[in-house]
Amino acid sequence: MALTVVDHPLAQHLLTQLRDVQTPPPVFRTIAKRLTIAVMLEAVRGLPAVEVDVQTPLERTTGRLIFPDIVAVPILRAGLGMLEAVAELFPEVSVGYIGLERDDVTLLPTSYYEKLPPVEGRHVLLLDPMLATGGSAAGACAKIEERHPAEIRFICVVAAPQGVDKLRREHPHVSIFTAALDRDLNDRGYILPGLGDFGDRLFGTGSDSGLPRSRPR
Ligand code: PRP
Ligand code: URA
């Protein structure tokens, strides 16, 4: 399984703003979209492309277009913060959704929604900004793999070593693209140094301190 860390200066510039606890949700959303585009620059490398003739205002030449048979699958909720970027880059993309919520105590994901277009033989871009324990990503990969895609590319913003190891063990054919490979997880399964709870920061549902809030029971 290939792991690509996109350490381009522009990606790191954007990631630093996302990490900053002072970044409010409206800015967080904009930066998350821009950073997704930066990670996508690497994540689409090697996707099938076709050579086409193109007429410029001056002469004919040839160019390359990425084969458009791509399925984007955001893992709800936080993956929604990456979808708009992908849909703008590939307006003809098919979109499926997988809803997973991680339990605060067991850290295991529970599935609450699934709507996937046909994925057999297609290239799946699985979108979730945070790869922490890897339970959510592995669960989503299992749901997609049983439908026989050509491949799955997992695109995230921050990954922890534990999540990378789990995907590597359980889904060795999935390639991972991330803007950062962080140090560790804390005892609540949050990535260190990380950026906190991505979904809360994206949708303005966190505490004012920017720290992850325990879900009400
Ligand atoms: C977050 C994140 C991932 C998951 C990562 O989602 O978006 O899906 O946690 O953790 P893991 O690698 O340990 O599974 P969360 O369950 O908090 O739901 P949300 O997107 O609705 O906030
Ligand atoms: N989910 C998040 O949103 N952030 C983390 O650090 C871990 C899981």
Side-chain angles (χ1 to χ4, degrees), residues 195-206:
L195 51 73
D197 190 304
F198 197 100
D200 280 349
R201 298 194 64 194
L202 187 71
F203 294 113
T205 52

Side-chain angles (χ1 to χ4, degrees), residues 87-110:
E88 276 184 18
L89 290 172
F90 299 106
E92 288 161 15
V93 69
S94 299
V95 179
Y97 297 90
I98 292 177
L100 295 174
E101 186 176 34
R102 198 174 74 148
D103 184 271
D104 286 343
V105 177
T106 65
L107 302 183
L108 297 174
T110 307

Side-chain angles (χ1 to χ4, degrees), residues 18-189:
L18 278 193
R19 287 196 196 273
D20 187 345
V21 68
Q22 304 288 352
T23 301
V27 181
F28 191 92
R29 282 192 280 276
T30 302
I31 304 290
K33 181 173 162 184
R34 291 180 187 158
L35 181 52
T36 301
I37 292 173
V39 178
M40 283 288 288
L41 290 177
E42 285 302 322
V44 300
R45 225 181 254 285
L47 279 176
V50 288
E51 204 155 280
V52 294
D53 286 333
V54 60
Q55 175 73 52
T56 79
L58 300 172
E59 61 181 32
R60 282 197 84 71
T61 185
T62 55
R64 291 172 71 77
L65 291 176
I66 293 173
F67 186 67
D69 199 15
I70 294 169
V71 181
V73 181
I75 300 179
L76 304 178
R77 285 178 304 175
L80 290 176
M82 306 173 75
L83 178 62
E84 204 179 317
V86 175
E88 276 184 18
L89 290 172
F90 299 106
E92 288 161 15
V93 69
S94 299
V95 179
Y97 297 90
I98 292 177
L100 295 174
E101 186 176 34
R102 198 174 74 148
D103 184 271
D104 286 343
V105 177
T106 65
L107 302 183
L108 297 174
T110 307
S111 171
Y112 61 87
Y113 188 73
E114 184 177 333
K115 185 123 187 155
L116 292 172
V119 300
E120 187 168 346
R122 304 176 81 187
H123 300 265
V124 175
L125 304 179
L126 182 58
L127 311 175
D128 190 333
M130 306 305 280
L131 179 62
T133 65
S136 305
C141 286
K143 288 173 183 294
I144 296 167
E145 277 179 350
E146 66 192 23
R147 296 166 186 246
H148 310 295
E151 63 166 338
I152 301 174
R153 297 179 183 216
F154 182 77
I155 300 160
C156 63
V157 167
V158 180
Q162 292 88 335
V164 171
D165 288 348
K166 184 173 175 73
L167 266 194
R168 192 171 266 157
R169 274 194 318 273
E170 296 183 12
H171 300 279
H173 301 300
V174 173
S175 38
I176 303 175
F177 298 85
T178 183
L181 179 59
D182 275 8
R183 188 181 78 247
D184 205 351
L185 298 175
N186 70 9
D187 58 6
R188 291 179 55 205

